[in-house]
Amino acid sequence: MHIGGIFASAAVAVLVGVATPAYAAAKPDVGAKQAYVVDSAGTIHVGKRQTKKVPVASLVKVMTAYVVLREARLTDTVTITAADVRHAADNGATSAALRKGEKLTVEDLLYGLMLPSGADASNALARTYGPGKKAFIDKMNAAARQLGLADTHYTNADGLPTPARGGYSTAADQARLAQVALKNPTFTQVVSAKKHKVAKSADNRAHTWRNTNKLLERTDGVLGVKTGYTRAAGYCLLFAAERDGRQVVGVLLGDQNERRFTEAEELLDYVSEQIAAG
C-alpha cells in the first residue's frame, strides 16, 4: 500500500474514534416580561425579572385552592348563591357556569375553580371558608407569610383587577407556592386533569369543565398548574412537569396567549437537556 495511504487511513481511524463533543442546547428566547424556571434540586434554569412585583391574574386561584384544602373537607357541600353567579358575570370573568341554588362538593368546586378558572367558584369557596371574603383574603395573606412569599399580597380570591389597587406577586413567589401546593395529591390531581364532569343530580345540573392549560395536550409529564389573563397582567402561565426524575416548575408572566404554551414546552425541553447533561 502507498505510504501516504497508510497515514491517511490511520488519520481516518483516529478521527472515527474521536467522540464528537456534545453541545449544550441554547436557552430558549423568552418573550414573557417575567419568567422563572426551577427544578426540585434547587437549580434555577431561567430567571427574568423574577422578583418584580406584578399582578398575576388567575394564578391567584392557586392560593385560593391551597387555603381551601387546608380549611375544608372534600366532601363538604357548598350552596351556590346569586351573589356567586353575579360576581363572575358583573366582572366579565370566566365562570364555571354555576347556577343559584346548586349544591356542589368542595372537590367539584376545586375543579370548577382551577380548570375553567371559575370566578363564581372562587367566590363561593372564599365566602364559605373565610367565612366571608375578607376573612378568606386574610387567610390567603397569612399563608403567603407562612410560606415566605415576601413579595406577594392578595386583595381577592380570583385575581380580578378590583379593587383599583389590586394584589401582586412575583414569578419567584408563584413558583415557590406551586412547589408547596403540588405536595398535596388532591391539588395535583385537580390541576393535572384535562377535564372534569359533574353528573346531574337533584342538587345540581350537569357540568363538564375543560382545563384551559393547553400544555397538558402538548407534552408528557405535565402536572398543570394554572393559566391567567387580565389586561393589567397579560397572559400568564404557571406550569409544572416531571423531567428526568425532577419536578420542574416554571412561571411566565406578561406573555402572549399562545406563545406562553410554546415557550413553556421549549423551556421544559431545555431543562431536560440541562438535567441530562449533568
Side-chain angles (χ1 to χ4, degrees):
M1 177 182 288
H2 188 277
I3 292 178
I6 293 174
F7 283 123
S9 298
V12 169
V14 170
L15 288 172
V16 169
V18 174
T20 302
Y23 292 94
K27 185 182 296 185
D29 291 330
V30 178
K33 292 180 180 178
Q34 292 85 33
Y36 189 66
V37 182
V38 63
D39 67 34
S40 52
T43 302
I44 298 171
H45 296 275
V46 174
K48 179 181 179 181
R49 303 187 189 95
Q50 68 267 26
T51 60
K52 182 176 176 60
K53 297 177 184 178
V54 293
V56 296
S58 285
L59 302 197
V60 164
K61 295 184 177 104
V62 173
M63 180 59 87
T64 301
Y66 177 78
V67 172
V68 168
L69 284 167
R70 298 204 309 180
E71 297 284 322
R73 294 175 297 181
L74 296 178
T75 54
D76 286 352
T77 299
V78 175
T79 301
I80 305 304
T81 67
D84 299 328
V85 178
R86 284 199 308 271
H87 177 73
D90 291 350
N91 288 287
T94 51
S95 81
L98 303 177
R99 297 285 180 85
K100 175 186 174 182
E102 286 193 273
K103 297 178 180 180
L104 293 101
T105 65
V106 164
E107 182 174 15
D108 282 333
L109 280 175
L110 284 170
Y111 282 99
L113 172 76
M114 301 303 283
L115 271 62
S117 201
D120 44 3
S122 69
N123 201 75
L125 289 166
R127 172 180 55 76
T128 303
Y129 291 102
K133 291 193 288 184
K134 183 182 183 304
F136 189 84
I137 295 163
D138 289 343
K139 289 179 179 180
M140 294 172 72
N141 284 313
R145 291 191 296 271
Q146 291 166 4
L147 295 175
L149 310 183
D151 296 320
T152 296
H153 178 70
Y154 296 102
T155 58
N156 56 40
D158 45 44
L160 289 169
T162 54
R165 293 188 176 183
Y168 55 81
S169 187
T170 68
D173 274 6
Q174 287 301 296
R176 171 60 183 158
L177 174 58
Q179 288 176 321
V180 175
L182 286 165
K183 292 179 180 178
N184 185 311
T186 299
F187 179 87
T188 304
Q189 177 181 311
V190 169
V191 299
S192 63
K194 294 179 181 178
K195 71 178 180 179
H196 179 74
K197 291 185 177 183
V198 179
K200 184 178 181 180
S201 72
D203 292 326
N204 58 267
R205 65 197 193 106
H207 295 279
T208 298
W209 296 314
R210 290 178 171 77
N211 204 321
T212 57
N213 186 356
K214 296 180 182 179
L215 193 61
L216 288 162
E217 304 285 352
R218 296 193 178 196
T219 186
D220 295 331
V222 177
L223 304 175
V225 178
K226 190 72 188 74
T227 62
Y229 171 77
T230 63
R231 183 175 297 177
Y235 287 93
C236 303
L237 179 63
L238 172 57
F239 61 96
E242 296 290 347
R243 287 293 183 271
D244 299 293
R246 298 187 197 179
Q247 185 185 89
V248 180
V249 174
V251 187
L252 298 170
L253 305 177
D255 208 345
Q256 296 175 4
N257 189 3
E258 290 301 319
R259 187 176 68 185
R260 57 185 163 162
F261 302 112
T262 301
E263 287 182 346
E265 189 174 7
E266 291 173 351
L267 286 167
L268 287 173
D269 289 343
Y270 168 72
V271 172
S272 293
E273 292 176 0
Q274 294 297 303
I275 294 173

